[in-house]
């Protein structure tokens, strides 16, 4: 019986244990590969939201509180673009511009622009102009503003976004954050590995998923993947 166990049963047990270890390792590897793949779509969504939020704040002095507001901003609003004419590093052009200003007291950049159009190409000035947001930002073929709020691979779940005005050292500071929980982004993947991943993040006091910005404190609108 001992010989049977050694020659037959023990090798089977060893092979079985090896197969179980291999399956566990491969399962972890496949989970990690799929997680990285899905995160690439999630981070792109949050980067796009951040791009629109920064432009929105530049115009309105605060962040939008809803993604629908950002979508409307993208589709229907305009943003001010400052066009620089001439080089501020060209001493000859700068000197010429100063001379023109002295000869034309109170002349504005608009007046300098009119002189530029008349043929004076040695002027240095900047002029603001309004351009549709959609003609300036996120001009990628794969960008779809109508799906901006949808978490990839989630079956339709929406990204949560918040904005606040917070007092920081006595100064009112606009803040925002947008989040994509792993439970939604990794939907359909190994449940226990998702639970383990969430626990790992929570144990180090990190959001269990992807996050850009913070309504707790200024962080330069950074993403937690950066």
């Amino acid at each position: 019986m001992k010989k049977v166990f050694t020659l037959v049963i023990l090798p089977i047990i060893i092979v079985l244990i090896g197969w179980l270890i291999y399956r566990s390792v491969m399962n972890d590897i496949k989970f990690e590969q799929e997680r990285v793949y899905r995160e690439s779509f999630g981070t792109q969504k949050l980067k796009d939201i951040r791009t629109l939020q920064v432009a929105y704040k530049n115009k309105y002095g605060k962040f939008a509180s809803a993604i629908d507001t950002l979508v409307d901003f993208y589709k229907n609003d305009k943003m001010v673009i400052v066009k620089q004419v001439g080089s501020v590093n060209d001493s000859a052009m700068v000197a010429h511009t100063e001379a023109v200003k002295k000869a034309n007291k109170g002349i504005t950049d608009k007046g300098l622009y009119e002189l530029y159009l008349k043929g004076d190409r040695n002027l240095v000035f900047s002029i603001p102009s309004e351009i549709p947001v959609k003609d300036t930002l996120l001009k990628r073929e794969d960008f779809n503003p109508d799906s901006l709020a949808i978490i990839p691979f989630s079956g339709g779940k929406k990204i949560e976004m918040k904005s606040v005005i917070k007092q920081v050292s006595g100064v009112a500071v606009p803040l925002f954050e947008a989040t994509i929980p792993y439970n939604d982004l990794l939907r359909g993947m190994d449940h226990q590995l998702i639970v383990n991943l969430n626990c790992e993040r929570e144990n180090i006091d990190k959001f269990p998923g992807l996050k850009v910005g913070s309504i707790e404190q200024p962080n330069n609108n950074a993403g937690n993947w950066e």
Side-chain angles (χ1 to χ4, degrees):
M1 184 65 185
K2 184 176 180 181
K3 188 174 183 180
V4 172
F5 177 81
T6 302
L7 296 178
V8 180
I9 299 177
L10 184 58
I12 293 175
I13 292 175
I14 293 173
V15 170
L16 180 60
I17 292 174
W19 178 78
L20 290 173
I21 293 174
Y22 171 80
R23 188 178 71 170
S24 176
V25 171
M26 289 305 298
N27 191 39
D28 289 349
I29 292 174
K30 289 180 179 179
F31 178 87
E32 183 64 14
Q33 290 174 338
E34 181 67 13
R35 179 182 71 83
V36 171
Y37 174 73
R38 293 192 182 194
E39 281 190 352
S40 67
F41 289 89
T43 55
Q44 187 60 62
K45 286 264 189 175
L46 296 183
K47 287 178 181 178
D48 291 344
I49 288 173
R50 175 171 61 188
T51 295
L52 290 175
Q53 280 284 37
V54 170
Y56 186 92
K57 176 179 172 290
N58 286 341
K59 180 167 185 178
Y60 294 107
K62 62 180 181 179
F63 291 115
S65 59
I67 294 179
D68 287 346
T69 303
L70 290 180
V71 172
D72 181 71
F73 174 70
Y74 174 81
K75 289 182 175 181
N76 304 308
D77 214 329
K78 294 181 178 181
M79 57 188 296
V80 176
I81 301 296
V82 178
K83 180 181 179 181
Q84 178 66 43
V85 179
S87 174
V88 295
N89 297 319
D90 188 318
S91 58
M93 293 183 74
V94 171
H96 173 70
T97 302
E98 291 301 319
V100 170
K101 288 181 177 180
K102 287 181 180 179
N104 299 270
K105 297 293 185 180
I107 191 171
T108 62
D109 283 345
K110 183 178 179 180
L112 292 174
Y113 181 54
E114 291 174 355
L115 292 177
Y116 176 84
L117 293 177
K118 290 178 181 179
D120 190 342
R121 304 298 180 178
N122 294 314
L123 295 169
V124 178
F125 59 94
S126 58
I127 51 173
S129 59
E130 283 195 330
I131 300 177
V133 176
K134 63 183 178 182
D135 292 343
T136 306
L137 300 179
L138 303 175
K139 297 179 66 177
R140 303 192 318 270
E141 291 185 2
D142 66 337
F143 176 69
N144 179 8
D146 295 323
S147 65
L148 183 63
I150 304 301
I151 298 174
F153 310 101
S154 71
K157 297 290 185 65
K158 291 190 175 183
I159 296 170
E160 183 176 358
M161 191 175 76
K162 302 175 183 177
S163 69
V164 298
I165 303 291
K166 190 165 187 176
Q167 292 292 322
V168 179
S169 300
V171 178
V173 179
L175 301 172
F176 92 96
E177 68 179 32
T179 54
I180 297 178
Y182 278 137
N183 286 339
D184 295 329
L185 182 66
L186 306 183
R187 180 187 181 199
M189 295 173 61
D190 189 294
H191 175 70
Q192 187 57 54
L193 291 180
I194 295 174
V195 171
N196 294 346
L197 180 59
N198 286 337
C199 288
E200 289 175 9
R201 300 289 294 181
E202 290 168 352
N203 286 340
I204 57 175
D205 199 28
K206 300 294 184 181
F207 178 75
L210 302 176
K211 178 180 177 181
V212 65
S214 171
I215 60 171
E216 299 301 324
Q217 58 184 1
N219 70 347
N220 200 30
N221 307 322
N224 66 351
W225 64 89
E226 296 174 318

